[in-house]
Amino acid sequence: MMIEKLNHNSRTTEVDAALVRMIGAYRKTSLNSDAYLADLFAGLEGQSALMSEAIRRMKAESVLEEKDEMRDATLRSVFFMVQGMMYHPDPAVKAAAETVNKVLDHYGMSVIGESYATESSLIGSLLGDLAKPEVQTAIASLSGLAELVAALQAAQDDFEAARIAFEEEKGQETTQVNATALKREVVDIINNQLVVYLRAMAQVNDAVYGPFARTLSEIIADNNEAVKRRSKKKEPAA
């Protein structure tokens, strides 16, 4: 029978999901007496575990990036609000804004471009300076600024929590394996070893190999159809 090959454009998460289904389907068969398949799936199970670890790390890193972007956006809002209030017609408001701006100027908005560790340290110091009594009095005079500073503190806390989760995820991994490289290896094994072997064995002995070959074919077809649908969504309208 003709089993199509796994689409190379499949995402890492799609390949991982397909592989998990393949392993599950294999375990339900009585093909463990086939030494070639047994060795092949033993290797694939190891690859699946590594891929799952790498994907978890990718997700943790993605969350970390999102939290950093939120923190950056909130910090910009604090700077922009204070800079705008420095032109307020009310002298009292203007004076309060200038007091807060002196603190902000000490750090500058360029902290956004620093490394995660440096930015976290600088924002932590900034929040500490903004919490000083004389600065708090000025902040209280500027409508909406206290809420923005509180939002910055929350964004900082969220980022630090995400950073801890990311570091813990990295620390739990036995090895730092690139998810994309793993995907390529797994797709190569599936296409050039598993699919090729089952195509041949299903022709030779359909009663033994046919059911699993057809299940594998369905798993791959489902994956490839999902990839095709996703690709079509990206195509511009004619």
Side-chain angles (χ1 to χ4, degrees):
M1 65 177 299
M2 182 56 66
I3 308 170
E4 64 179 302
K5 292 188 175 184
L6 202 65
N7 192 319
H8 281 276
N9 292 323
S10 302
R11 291 172 175 163
T12 302
T13 50
E14 290 169 336
V15 173
D16 182 53
L19 179 56
V20 168
R21 290 178 64 194
M22 291 177 191
I23 292 170
Y26 169 73
R27 287 175 178 169
K28 292 180 180 179
T29 72
S30 57
L31 294 173
N32 58 318
S33 57
D34 183 312
Y36 180 80
L37 279 181
D39 288 343
L40 194 60
F41 272 95
L44 285 173
E45 286 185 13
Q47 295 288 74
S48 178
L50 289 174
M51 188 178 292
S52 294
E53 287 181 358
I55 288 171
R56 281 196 296 272
R57 181 167 58 86
M58 286 168 57
K59 289 180 178 177
E61 187 170 11
S62 177
V63 169
L64 188 64
E65 290 172 356
E66 290 174 6
K67 297 296 184 183
D68 181 53
E69 289 172 3
M70 179 61 71
R71 180 175 66 171
D72 291 349
T74 309
L75 182 61
R76 288 191 190 95
S77 295
V78 171
F79 271 88
F80 292 149
M81 174 178 280
V82 173
Q83 287 170 1
M85 287 185 169
M86 287 174 65
Y87 297 96
H88 199 282
D90 186 332
V93 172
K94 182 178 180 180
E98 288 173 346
T99 297
V100 178
N101 193 61
K102 285 179 182 178
V103 177
L104 298 179
D105 268 352
H106 179 70
Y107 295 90
M109 210 184 302
S110 61
V111 300
I112 288 172
E114 298 288 350
S115 66
Y116 285 160
T118 300
E119 183 177 348
S120 287
S121 177
L122 290 172
I123 291 179
S125 294
L126 169 61
L127 287 165
D129 287 345
L130 291 174
K132 291 178 179 178
E134 64 274 18
V135 184
Q136 279 290 298
T137 300
I139 289 174
S141 302
L142 303 172
S143 178
L145 184 58
E147 290 77 7
L148 263 183
V149 172
L152 179 60
Q153 180 68 68
Q156 171 82 337
D157 293 342
D158 282 349
F159 175 83
E160 286 304 314
R163 189 179 178 198
I164 291 170
F166 173 61
E167 294 297 338
E168 288 176 345
E169 193 63 57
K170 284 175 64 179
Q172 289 171 5
E173 292 183 9
T174 56
T175 181
Q176 292 293 319
V177 183
N178 181 274
T180 302
L182 271 172
K183 184 197 82 167
R184 286 195 293 265
E185 290 177 13
V186 169
V187 171
D188 182 66
I189 293 170
I190 291 172
N191 289 345
N192 300 320
Q193 296 182 52
L194 181 58
V195 169
V196 171
Y197 183 73
L198 283 177
R199 281 176 180 174
M201 297 308 294
Q203 290 292 332
V204 173
N205 192 342
D206 183 73
V208 173
Y209 291 91
F212 179 54
R214 284 185 280 276
T215 299
L216 186 78
S217 180
E218 187 65 30
I219 292 170
I220 293 175
D222 287 348
N223 175 85
N224 291 352
E225 181 58 33
V227 174
K228 289 177 184 176
R229 285 198 302 269
R230 173 161 48 77
S231 298
K232 287 179 181 178
K233 288 181 181 179
K234 294 181 179 179
E235 293 176 2

mmCIF file of all heavy atoms in Angstrom, residues 16-29 41 43-49 212 216 219:
data_model
loop_
_atom_site.group_PDB
_atom_site.id
_atom_site.type_symbol
_atom_site.label_atom_id
_atom_site.label_comp_id
_atom_site.label_asym_id
_atom_site.label_seq_id
_atom_site.Cartn_x
_atom_site.Cartn_y
_atom_site.Cartn_z
ATOM 1 N N ASP A 16 5.394 16.228 16.762
ATOM 2 C CA ASP A 16 5.375 15.604 18.077
ATOM 3 C C ASP A 16 4.040 14.917 18.328
ATOM 4 O O ASP A 16 3.995 13.780 18.813
ATOM 5 C CB ASP A 16 5.625 16.663 19.150
ATOM 6 C CG ASP A 16 5.675 16.069 20.559
ATOM 7 O OD1 ASP A 16 6.450 15.124 20.771
ATOM 8 O OD2 ASP A 16 4.932 16.554 21.429
ATOM 9 N N ALA A 17 2.939 15.603 17.982
ATOM 10 C CA ALA A 17 1.607 15.021 18.187
ATOM 11 C C ALA A 17 1.412 13.779 17.323
ATOM 12 O O ALA A 17 0.857 12.768 17.775
ATOM 13 C CB ALA A 17 0.539 16.060 17.859
ATOM 14 N N ALA A 18 1.866 13.840 16.066
ATOM 15 C CA ALA A 18 1.743 12.693 15.163
ATOM 16 C C ALA A 18 2.567 11.515 15.673
ATOM 17 O O ALA A 18 2.122 10.358 15.641
ATOM 18 C CB ALA A 18 2.195 13.082 13.754
ATOM 19 N N LEU A 19 3.761 11.811 16.157
ATOM 20 C CA LEU A 19 4.635 10.750 16.662
ATOM 21 C C LEU A 19 4.026 10.076 17.887
ATOM 22 O O LEU A 19 4.086 8.845 18.014
ATOM 23 C CB LEU A 19 6.011 11.337 17.008
ATOM 24 C CG LEU A 19 7.042 10.357 17.576
ATOM 25 C CD1 LEU A 19 7.261 9.184 16.622
ATOM 26 C CD2 LEU A 19 8.357 11.071 17.862
ATOM 27 N N VAL A 20 3.440 10.855 18.771
ATOM 28 C CA VAL A 20 2.798 10.286 19.963
ATOM 29 C C VAL A 20 1.674 9.332 19.541
ATOM 30 O O VAL A 20 1.517 8.242 20.118
ATOM 31 C CB VAL A 20 2.237 11.405 20.873
ATOM 32 C CG1 VAL A 20 1.320 10.825 21.951
ATOM 33 C CG2 VAL A 20 3.379 12.191 21.509
ATOM 34 N N ARG A 21 0.914 9.713 18.519
ATOM 35 C CA ARG A 21 -0.166 8.840 18.019
ATOM 36 C C ARG A 21 0.398 7.570 17.398
ATOM 37 O O ARG A 21 -0.145 6.474 17.587
ATOM 38 C CB ARG A 21 -1.013 9.586 16.984
ATOM 39 C CG ARG A 21 -1.871 10.708 17.560
ATOM 40 C CD ARG A 21 -2.640 11.418 16.469
ATOM 41 N NE ARG A 21 -3.598 10.531 15.816
ATOM 42 C CZ ARG A 21 -4.202 10.807 14.659
ATOM 43 N NH1 ARG A 21 -3.940 11.946 14.036
ATOM 44 N NH2 ARG A 21 -5.062 9.961 14.142
ATOM 45 N N MET A 22 1.492 7.703 16.669
ATOM 46 C CA MET A 22 2.126 6.538 16.044
ATOM 47 C C MET A 22 2.623 5.552 17.097
ATOM 48 O O MET A 22 2.438 4.339 16.975
ATOM 49 C CB MET A 22 3.300 6.970 15.161
ATOM 50 C CG MET A 22 2.911 7.730 13.918
ATOM 51 S SD MET A 22 4.384 8.274 13.003
ATOM 52 C CE MET A 22 3.640 9.390 11.804
ATOM 53 N N ILE A 23 3.266 6.081 18.120
ATOM 54 C CA ILE A 23 3.778 5.224 19.190
ATOM 55 C C ILE A 23 2.630 4.522 19.905
ATOM 56 O O ILE A 23 2.695 3.324 20.199
ATOM 57 C CB ILE A 23 4.616 6.054 20.186
ATOM 58 C CG1 ILE A 23 5.908 6.545 19.519
ATOM 59 C CG2 ILE A 23 4.943 5.246 21.438
ATOM 60 C CD1 ILE A 23 6.689 7.558 20.342
ATOM 61 N N GLY A 24 1.558 5.276 20.163
ATOM 62 C CA GLY A 24 0.389 4.687 20.807
ATOM 63 C C GLY A 24 -0.225 3.579 19.963
ATOM 64 O O GLY A 24 -0.607 2.523 20.483
ATOM 65 N N ALA A 25 -0.308 3.807 18.662
ATOM 66 C CA ALA A 25 -0.872 2.802 17.754
ATOM 67 C C ALA A 25 0.023 1.564 17.696
ATOM 68 O O ALA A 25 -0.469 0.428 17.678
ATOM 69 C CB ALA A 25 -1.032 3.400 16.357
ATOM 70 N N TYR A 26 1.326 1.775 17.673
ATOM 71 C CA TYR A 26 2.273 0.642 17.622
ATOM 72 C C TYR A 26 2.139 -0.224 18.867
ATOM 73 O O TYR A 26 2.164 -1.458 18.786
ATOM 74 C CB TYR A 26 3.701 1.171 17.492
ATOM 75 C CG TYR A 26 4.748 0.105 17.691
ATOM 76 C CD1 TYR A 26 4.971 -0.870 16.715
ATOM 77 C CD2 TYR A 26 5.508 0.054 18.872
ATOM 78 C CE1 TYR A 26 5.923 -1.867 16.914
ATOM 79 C CE2 TYR A 26 6.455 -0.934 19.070
ATOM 80 C CZ TYR A 26 6.665 -1.897 18.087
ATOM 81 O OH TYR A 26 7.597 -2.886 18.271
ATOM 82 N N ARG A 27 1.988 0.406 20.017
ATOM 83 C CA ARG A 27 1.894 -0.352 21.270
ATOM 84 C C ARG A 27 0.659 -1.247 21.318
ATOM 85 O O ARG A 27 0.627 -2.231 22.073
ATOM 86 C CB ARG A 27 1.880 0.615 22.452
ATOM 87 C CG ARG A 27 3.232 1.266 22.737
ATOM 88 C CD ARG A 27 3.117 2.305 23.830
ATOM 89 N NE ARG A 27 4.403 2.915 24.166
ATOM 90 C CZ ARG A 27 4.543 3.982 24.919
ATOM 91 N NH1 ARG A 27 3.463 4.572 25.433
ATOM 92 N NH2 ARG A 27 5.747 4.467 25.167
ATOM 93 N N LYS A 28 -0.354 -0.902 20.530
ATOM 94 C CA LYS A 28 -1.581 -1.701 20.509
ATOM 95 C C LYS A 28 -1.484 -2.909 19.583
ATOM 96 O O LYS A 28 -2.382 -3.741 19.546
ATOM 97 C CB LYS A 28 -2.763 -0.827 20.083
ATOM 98 C CG LYS A 28 -3.135 0.238 21.099
ATOM 99 C CD LYS A 28 -4.312 1.074 20.602
ATOM 100 C CE LYS A 28 -4.697 2.138 21.612
ATOM 101 N NZ LYS A 28 -5.820 2.984 21.139
ATOM 102 N N THR A 29 -0.399 -2.977 18.814
ATOM 103 C CA THR A 29 -0.226 -4.087 17.870
ATOM 104 C C THR A 29 0.543 -5.222 18.530
ATOM 105 O O THR A 29 1.025 -5.111 19.658
ATOM 106 C CB THR A 29 0.547 -3.631 16.622
ATOM 107 O OG1 THR A 29 1.929 -3.420 16.974
ATOM 108 C CG2 THR A 29 -0.024 -2.343 16.046
ATOM 109 N N PHE A 41 11.019 1.864 16.952
ATOM 110 C CA PHE A 41 10.129 2.572 17.872
ATOM 111 C C PHE A 41 10.787 2.855 19.223
ATOM 112 O O PHE A 41 10.430 3.830 19.894
ATOM 113 C CB PHE A 41 8.813 1.818 18.046
ATOM 114 C CG PHE A 41 7.787 2.207 17.014
ATOM 115 C CD1 PHE A 41 7.640 1.464 15.861
ATOM 116 C CD2 PHE A 41 7.014 3.350 17.185
ATOM 117 C CE1 PHE A 41 6.721 1.847 14.887
ATOM 118 C CE2 PHE A 41 6.096 3.735 16.221
ATOM 119 C CZ PHE A 41 5.947 2.990 15.066
ATOM 120 N N GLY A 43 13.811 3.836 19.467
ATOM 121 C CA GLY A 43 14.498 5.088 19.162
ATOM 122 C C GLY A 43 13.537 6.252 19.063
ATOM 123 O O GLY A 43 13.817 7.348 19.552
ATOM 124 N N LEU A 44 12.378 6.033 18.438
ATOM 125 C CA LEU A 44 11.393 7.097 18.278
ATOM 126 C C LEU A 44 10.801 7.530 19.620
ATOM 127 O O LEU A 44 10.484 8.696 19.814
ATOM 128 C CB LEU A 44 10.275 6.640 17.332
ATOM 129 C CG LEU A 44 10.639 6.605 15.837
ATOM 130 C CD1 LEU A 44 9.517 5.964 15.031
ATOM 131 C CD2 LEU A 44 10.920 8.024 15.323
ATOM 132 N N GLU A 45 10.654 6.588 20.537
ATOM 133 C CA GLU A 45 10.138 6.947 21.859
ATOM 134 C C GLU A 45 11.124 7.870 22.578
ATOM 135 O O GLU A 45 10.719 8.821 23.260
ATOM 136 C CB GLU A 45 9.878 5.686 22.682
ATOM 137 C CG GLU A 45 8.637 4.926 22.231
ATOM 138 C CD GLU A 45 8.315 3.741 23.118
ATOM 139 O OE1 GLU A 45 8.906 3.647 24.216
ATOM 140 O OE2 GLU A 45 7.475 2.917 22.730
ATOM 141 N N GLY A 46 12.409 7.582 22.417
ATOM 142 C CA GLY A 46 13.420 8.457 23.005
ATOM 143 C C GLY A 46 13.387 9.834 22.370
ATOM 144 O O GLY A 46 13.482 10.857 23.067
ATOM 145 N N GLN A 47 13.219 9.891 21.048
ATOM 146 C CA GLN A 47 13.130 11.162 20.337
ATOM 147 C C GLN A 47 11.894 11.943 20.763
ATOM 148 O O GLN A 47 11.923 13.168 20.888
ATOM 149 C CB GLN A 47 13.088 10.917 18.820
ATOM 150 C CG GLN A 47 14.350 10.312 18.232
ATOM 151 C CD GLN A 47 15.489 11.302 18.184
ATOM 152 O OE1 GLN A 47 16.083 11.628 19.195
ATOM 153 N NE2 GLN A 47 15.814 11.783 17.008
ATOM 154 N N SER A 48 10.808 11.214 20.993
ATOM 155 C CA SER A 48 9.559 11.856 21.411
ATOM 156 C C SER A 48 9.730 12.531 22.769
ATOM 157 O O SER A 48 9.256 13.657 22.985
ATOM 158 C CB SER A 48 8.436 10.822 21.490
ATOM 159 O OG SER A 48 7.238 11.406 21.943
ATOM 160 N N ALA A 49 10.419 11.857 23.683
ATOM 161 C CA ALA A 49 10.644 12.434 25.008
ATOM 162 C C ALA A 49 11.500 13.693 24.907
ATOM 163 O O ALA A 49 11.208 14.711 25.552
ATOM 164 C CB ALA A 49 11.327 11.399 25.908
ATOM 165 N N PHE A 212 -1.740 -1.927 10.903
ATOM 166 C CA PHE A 212 -0.903 -0.862 11.455
ATOM 167 C C PHE A 212 -0.479 0.122 10.367
ATOM 168 O O PHE A 212 -0.434 1.336 10.596
ATOM 169 C CB PHE A 212 0.335 -1.445 12.138
ATOM 170 C CG PHE A 212 1.247 -0.396 12.718
ATOM 171 C CD1 PHE A 212 0.755 0.559 13.613
ATOM 172 C CD2 PHE A 212 2.586 -0.337 12.369
ATOM 173 C CE1 PHE A 212 1.588 1.536 14.158
ATOM 174 C CE2 PHE A 212 3.431 0.634 12.903
ATOM 175 C CZ PHE A 212 2.930 1.571 13.793
ATOM 176 N N LEU A 216 -1.152 4.075 10.457
ATOM 177 C CA LEU A 216 -0.064 5.030 10.269
ATOM 178 C C LEU A 216 -0.382 5.976 9.116
ATOM 179 O O LEU A 216 -0.155 7.186 9.204
ATOM 180 C CB LEU A 216 1.246 4.290 9.988
ATOM 181 C CG LEU A 216 2.486 5.174 9.908
ATOM 182 C CD1 LEU A 216 2.960 5.570 11.293
ATOM 183 C CD2 LEU A 216 3.611 4.467 9.157
ATOM 184 N N ILE A 219 -2.842 8.595 10.277
ATOM 185 C CA ILE A 219 -2.211 9.592 11.149
ATOM 186 C C ILE A 219 -1.442 10.616 10.319
ATOM 187 O O ILE A 219 -1.551 11.830 10.542
ATOM 188 C CB ILE A 219 -1.257 8.908 12.158
ATOM 189 C CG1 ILE A 219 -2.062 8.070 13.155
ATOM 190 C CG2 ILE A 219 -0.408 9.951 12.894
ATOM 191 C CD1 ILE A 219 -1.214 7.173 14.041
#
